[in-house]
Amino acid sequence: MHDAAGHSEAAEDQRQLRSGSSPWRMLQHSLPRTPLLADLRCDVAIVGAGITGSFAAEALARQGLSVVVVDRLMPGRGSTAASTAMLQWEIDRSLTELTELYGLDKAADIYRRSYAATADLCDYIQALGISCLFAKRSSLYLGGGDTGLTQLAREHGLRRQVDLPGDLLDRGTLIERFMMDRPGALLSPGSAEADPLCLSLGLLRIALAQGAVLVEDEVVAYDWSSDSASIGLAGGRTVEARHLVLATGYEMPDFITTDLHRRSSSWCLATVPQQPSALWPERALIWESSHPYLYARTTDDGRIVVGGEDQATENVKEREQLMPDKIAEITSKMRNLWPYASYEIAHAWSAEFGETDDGLPLVGPVPGAARVLAAYGYGGNGITFSYMASRILAARIAGTRRPWFDDFALDRTAP
Ligand SMILES: Cc1cc2nc3c(=O)[nH]c(=O)nc-3n(C[C@H](O)[C@H](O)[C@H](O)COP(=O)(O)OP(=O)(O)OC[C@H]3O[C@@H](n4cnc5c(N)ncnc54)[C@H](O)[C@@H]3O)c2cc1C
């Protein structure tokens, strides 16, 4: 058995992925979870009941598989509760950057898949009828920092070349339509927003209704052999499965040795509800490409949610100490961009954030660990990637393989 516990003070600290409070907690409902009183066998055991584990649990339970989901916390209380839940198809690396890394054919393929996945995700949430304050939105990718109109025009040209939708706005048009003064922007359809906690819990509730079991415990050991995989729980019980899915968010068990990802921290705030006239047109999702970047959205009850100021620290105390300065900086940047709102802050929080060098998720078999699959939807559109991960893993478990799955492989070589 591979010991995954590591009960040191540092490990305890590491587990505290979030500080402060996000606006989503108010809407949460609890789900039935039980400690395990006897060993279990199932088709798929999923470690982690955040948004990634929830998408996977729903998809796999719907395929008629017996599913056990294990989380040491209340479901959704990891990074999912801290997410700003902008459901976007534009990934962390622009199409221009991804083309420089992988060439246009592969970059375009990845972008088109992300676009299609976001459209599917929207249909899926609506078809399931999950009440999660879901709304379709445009996205406004603002120039800033090194990204001027020339760079935006280049990105827009590439997107058009590969049939991705969106308009290029020059500075004048941007001011006229959005009252925001930046060198230009790309305005694109096809994104959405949701309450991440409600979405995650809604998915899990549907999975439970389809027979999935939610276990409250910590996985402290992993084992795999040729015909099964198993996890050992802190409570002493074992779950044996045909397949194991790791959906542990920004904490990976130490037998995953990929060096493609790095962890940092991000800070966010939510204002008090605004008058509707104090919110920007279309309530578009905003992504400013300055360094460090700024992202913003609105909520169903009229709050402005803004995040950014990412910094490479995993230390909880440092993250909390930095909070007042980071929140002040984010407020000042947002006020500069959009001076028409009240910036009375109702919620401020920070959380760990993971990204990969090429901006793509880590999904698929874990090298050297038979029957163990990873679902790590890292990056600024981690939730879209979590959804894609659930589809890829469901296909793999059903015995289907597609060449493009390898774009997200844990052992891929990033250039
Ligand atoms: C501040 C911030 C803003 C973000 N904004 C966006 C955004 O706007 N749009 C977007 O798409 N994405 C965004 N993301 C990214 C997105 O939120 C994450 O990719 C996503 O929430 C990760 O979900 P997860 O289920 O993989 O991880 P988590 O939600 O962290 O869930 C992992 C779960 O695994 C459990 N776990 C871990 N180890 C064990 C163990 N050994 N035993 C039992 N349980 C275990 C944890 O308790 C946890 O509940 C943001 C992230 C942050 C931090």
Side-chain angles (χ1 to χ4, degrees), residues 9 20 31 71 109 111 155 162 165 228 273 316 344 398 414:
E9 201 178 310
L31 284 174
D71 202 307
D109 193 47
Y111 255 79
E155 174 74 10
V162 302
S228 71
V316 181
E344 189 185 330

Side-chain angles (χ1 to χ4, degrees), residues 152-162:
L152 289 170
R154 182 161 178 232
E155 174 74 10
H156 180 243
L158 274 181
R159 289 187 189 186
R160 285 189 65 170
Q161 195 180 329
V162 302

Side-chain angles (χ1 to χ4, degrees), residues 54-89:
S54 300
F55 275 130
E58 195 285 323
L60 294 165
R62 188 157 32 86
Q63 281 186 358
L65 299 173
S66 56
V67 174
V68 174
V69 186
V70 184
D71 202 307
R72 62 178 175 230
L73 301 175
M74 298 264 284
R77 294 294 193 94
S79 305
T80 297
S83 181
T84 47
M86 294 160 47
L87 311 178
Q88 289 183 275
W89 56 266

Side-chain angles (χ1 to χ4, degrees), residues 123-135:
D123 292 347
Y124 166 74
I125 294 172
Q126 288 176 305
L128 289 179
I130 297 175
S131 170
C132 59
L133 306 178
F134 171 83

Side-chain angles (χ1 to χ4, degrees), residues 4-5 15 17-18 46-54 70-88 196 200 215 217-222 233 246-253 264-268 287 293 295 297 307-308 310 349-354 375-386:
R15 289 169 187 198
L17 296 172
R18 287 181 293 110
I46 300 174
V47 188
I51 190 81
T52 310
S54 300
V70 184
D71 202 307
R72 62 178 175 230
L73 301 175
M74 298 264 284
R77 294 294 193 94
S79 305
T80 297
S83 181
T84 47
M86 294 160 47
L87 311 178
Q88 289 183 275
S200 184
V215 173
D217 211 329
E218 174 166 16
V219 175
V220 291
Y222 294 86
L233 307 183
L246 302 174
T248 54
Y250 299 137
E251 294 170 280
M252 288 177 169
S264 60
S265 291
S266 196
W267 285 261
C268 303
W287 190 281
Y293 60 43
Y295 49 94
R297 56 165 280 193
D310 294 13
W349 69 102
S350 66
E352 245 180 68
F353 188 73
Y376 292 113
Y378 288 155
N381 59 345
I383 295 179
T384 307
F385 285 152
S386 298

